[in-house]
């Protein structure tokens, strides 16, 4: 009965808001079980509105987006609008226990926020456990009326979402890994728009097909919604022109391969300029960590020209899974479109300098208490992760989210002593430190770094060689940042500053920090609230590879976080 009453209240709220002005774009998300058949098996998944991927949201810059989320699933759920600034609407950002408590089964919550100063390809996804694997979709922001793209308008725009598929319940996969202290099982397949492609068993009819017309140009809005894998993407015999990344326009960059990390988006123009026929598009993992198992399979779809009679599509030659040179060339050659729509020049006066080391760690084996002395991580310990020797813990046992604690000035939920630099200086990328017991154990805590409103923050993101060296995609909620430089090895504060690009650096919300390397980013903290910073490999967030920024209120009404919505989910 309580579940019915809760959903009825949501329905009434939906009816009331439907009478709002035409400037509002409104959607309803029904999150519930869905039985699908993949790889010869039937699997019950959690999905939105009965589809995988979930619905594509299309808005114009300046619109107000309202999404009513009805949780009819058996799991707690929140939705994160990945890359949206959430200016003074941090309550709608979505990460559970950070900006809100979860929407429990049988309840609902309405997300409402205005989209300003952004256009391009973003996406939405669950920010609870591993539900992102199947609860995700595209969020496309078109220019407002009267505005145009800074390149010739394509003939058609097509979302391309990469995903991962498990022949198992993803919540069970995550929980099993956490219980044993080891890495969770690898996925069984990759997907393009929810379809594995014909290289997998029972999947010939589950292959995504894109029909094109010779001579026309298509914008592929590529989104990596995979949980734990970066991907190489190619189209046989076709070049791609990158025009935007993470909803920020770029200088046009012509390439035959795209590399994309979980959380990132890349917009490319593809002209159907080849002989009439059919051509495979394919994605395969970029796996930078040596001696670590991964899903070494390939998903592919087919581009079919109108009038084609070809029964044998051409296949692109894909990079090797460990081709770091190709990955780095792509990532480092991208530049921003200085002076283009929504371009923000690099702030030159820095108020806060931070040096953040991060990587995989170990934690004492919890099963020791039960008498079983071994976990499945290295040295018979549990796998963990950290930033500046702090392994982040979500305050899931608190009565408040972190943002509620910030707004109501309630202590005990988090502390404000996240360090500006690691407590110990060491040779960060030297493989000999991989299992150094004096370095690889990090204490668990919920710590944030406090930032003054409108302060400019520069961060050196330094990968470490703890346990294993790999490329980590780091995502900052609530802000875009300029990528001033990136490279391999330990960051050199004397010589590497000369590599900074202050003219047209790429702008992102998720940066793939090079394997065994570093990146320098800079942003302006112009949005009060609590903003999560974390690795967008889902396996690493519950291990603790995260921290958060507490951005203080500004001096005027227009720079102060408003009160929480009345229907904000409670813990």
């Amino acid at each position: 009965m309580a579940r019915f009453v809760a959903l009825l209240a949501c329905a009434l709220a939906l009816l009331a808001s439907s009478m709002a002005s035409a400037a509002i774009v409104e959607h309803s998300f029904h999150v519930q079980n869905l039985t699908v058949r993949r790889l010869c098996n039937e699997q019950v998944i959690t999905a939105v509105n009965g589809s995988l991927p979930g619905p594509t949201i299309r808005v114009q810059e300046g619109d107000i987006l309202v999404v009513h989320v009805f949780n009819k699933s058996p799991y707690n759920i929140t939705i994160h609008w990945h890359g949206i600034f959430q200016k003074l609407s941090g309550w709608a950002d979505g990460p559970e226990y950070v900006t809100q408590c979860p929407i429990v089964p049988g309840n609902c919550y309405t997300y409402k926020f205005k989209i300003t100063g952004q256009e391009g390809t973003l996406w939405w996804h669950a920010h609870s456990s591993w539900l992102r694997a199947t609860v995700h979709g595209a969020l496309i922001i078109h220019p407002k009326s009267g505005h145009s793209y800074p390149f010739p308008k394509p003939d058609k725009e097509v979302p391309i979402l990469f995903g991962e598929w498990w022949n198992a319940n993803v919540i069970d996969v995550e929980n099993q890994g956490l219980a044993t202290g080891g890495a969770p099982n690898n996925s069984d397949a990759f997907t393009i728009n929810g379809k594995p492609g014909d290289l997998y068993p029972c999947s010939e009819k589950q292959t995504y097909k894109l029909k094109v017309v010779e001579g026309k140009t298509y914008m592929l809005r590529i989104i990596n919604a995979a949980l734990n894998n970066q991907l190489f993407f190619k189209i046989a015999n076709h070049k791609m022109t990158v025009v935007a990344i993470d909803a920020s326009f770029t200088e046009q960059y012509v390439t035959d391969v795209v590399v994309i990390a979980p959380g990132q988006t890349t917009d490319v123009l593809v002209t159907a300029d080849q002989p009439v026929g059919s051509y495979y598009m394919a994605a395969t993992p970029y796996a930078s960590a040596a001696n670590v198992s991964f899903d070494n399979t390939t998903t592919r779809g087919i581009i079919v020209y109108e009038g084609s009679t070809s029964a044998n599509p051409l296949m692109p030659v894909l990079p090797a899974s460990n081709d770091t040179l190709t990955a780095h060339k792509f990532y480092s050659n991208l530049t921003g479109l200085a002076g283009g729509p929504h371009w923000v020049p690099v702030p030159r006066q820095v108020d806060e300098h931070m040096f953040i080391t991060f990587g995989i760690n170990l934690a004492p084996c919890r099963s020791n208490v039960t008498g079983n002395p071994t976990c499945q991580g290295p040295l018979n310990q549990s796998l963990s992760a950290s930033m500046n020797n702090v392994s982040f813990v979500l305050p899931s046992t608190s009565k408040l989210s972190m943002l509620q604690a910030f707004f109501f000035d309630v202590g005990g939920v988090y502390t404000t002593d996240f360090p500006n630099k690691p407590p110990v200086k060491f040779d960060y990328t030297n493989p000999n430190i991989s299992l150094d017991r004096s370095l690889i154990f990090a204490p668990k805590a919920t710590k944030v770094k406090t930032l003054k409103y409108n302060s400019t923050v520069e961060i050196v993101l330094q990968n470490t060689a703890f346990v294993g060296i790999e490329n980590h995609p780091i995502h900052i909620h609530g802000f875009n940042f300029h990528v001033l430089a990136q490279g391999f090895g330990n960051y050199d504060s004397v010589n590497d500053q000369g590599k900074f690009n202050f003219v047209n650096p790429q702008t992102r919300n998720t940066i793939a920090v090079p394997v065994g390397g570093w990146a320098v980013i800079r942003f302006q903290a112009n949005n009060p609230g609590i903003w999560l910073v974390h690795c967008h490999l889902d396996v690493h967030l519950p291990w603790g590879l995260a921290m958060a920024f507490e951005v203080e209120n500004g001096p005027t009404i227009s720079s102060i976080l408003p009160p929480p919505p009345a229907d904000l989910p409670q813990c």
Side-chain angles (χ1 to χ4, degrees), residues 213-216 237-239 270-276 279 305:
V213 176
E214 185 181 11
K216 292 191 178 295
N237 287 19
H238 288 73
K239 296 285 189 180
V270 179
T271 299
D273 57 3
Q274 295 300 301
V276 171
Y279 302 83
Y305 279 62

Side-chain angles (χ1 to χ4, degrees), residues 266-536:
T266 303
D267 294 348
V268 300
L269 299 179
V270 179
T271 299
D273 57 3
Q274 295 300 301
V276 171
S278 55
Y279 302 83
Y280 277 118
M281 61 172 80
T284 197
Y286 165 48
S288 58
N291 303 317
V292 174
S293 68
F294 62 97
D295 179 355
N296 192 15
T297 63
T298 298
T299 179
R300 62 186 186 184
I302 305 175
I303 291 180
V304 182
Y305 279 62
E306 183 179 74
S308 171
T309 58
S310 171
N312 298 302
L314 295 177
M315 180 67 181
V317 177
L318 294 166
S321 60
N322 61 350
D323 191 347
T324 290
L325 290 180
T326 293
H328 186 67
K329 177 183 177 182
F330 177 83
Y331 282 137
S332 61
N333 277 353
L334 299 173
T335 52
L337 186 62
H342 311 294
W343 168 256
V344 176
V346 181
R348 301 303 293 266
Q349 179 66 41
V350 178
D351 303 296
E352 292 277 0
H353 289 272
M354 300 184 71
F355 189 99
I356 300 179
T357 57
F358 57 89
I360 306 305
N361 292 86
L362 297 180
C365 183
R366 289 174 296 176
S367 59
N368 283 341
V369 179
T370 65
N372 181 359
T374 60
C375 286
Q376 293 182 5
L379 307 180
N380 295 327
Q381 304 298 312
S382 292
L383 288 169
S384 182
S386 71
M387 288 184 159
N388 278 358
N389 201 47
V390 179
S391 187
F392 185 81
V393 178
L394 288 170
S396 58
T397 59
S398 171
K399 296 295 184 182
L400 299 173
S401 69
M402 295 175 70
L403 187 57
Q404 287 173 304
F406 166 78
F407 184 86
F408 295 110
D409 195 22
V410 176
V413 177
Y414 62 85
T415 61
T416 57
D417 54 345
F418 182 84
N420 281 343
K421 59 183 180 180
V424 177
K425 188 175 182 179
F426 56 96
D427 188 358
Y428 306 115
T429 56
N430 186 338
N432 292 330
I433 69 163
S434 177
L435 295 177
D436 186 330
R437 287 180 176 269
S438 68
L439 295 171
I440 61 175
F441 289 90
K444 301 285 184 179
T446 308
K447 295 180 182 289
V448 308
K449 165 69 177 177
T450 300
L451 300 174
K452 293 290 186 183
Y453 178 79
N454 238 19
S455 61
T456 296
V457 187
E458 181 178 293
I459 307 174
V460 177
L461 295 167
Q462 176 67 64
N463 239 316
T464 64
F466 291 155
V467 181
I469 308 175
E470 65 179 317
N471 184 302
H472 286 92
I474 303 297
H475 172 48
I476 299 183
H477 290 226
F479 303 97
N480 278 352
F481 49 79
H482 293 101
V483 181
L484 301 184
Q486 52 190 309
F488 295 102
N490 295 334
Y491 174 72
D492 184 331
S493 60
V494 175
N495 296 314
D496 287 333
Q497 286 192 24
K499 304 173 184 176
F500 285 9
N501 179 357
F502 292 114
V503 178
N504 62 345
Q506 59 182 279
T507 304
R508 283 199 173 274
N509 61 59
T510 305
I511 170 74
V513 181
V515 53
W518 53 270
V520 179
I521 65 173
R522 189 179 291 186
F523 70 97
Q524 193 166 19
N526 56 5
N527 196 8
I530 298 289
W531 304 105
L532 188 64
V533 180
H534 65 102
C535 180
H536 218 267

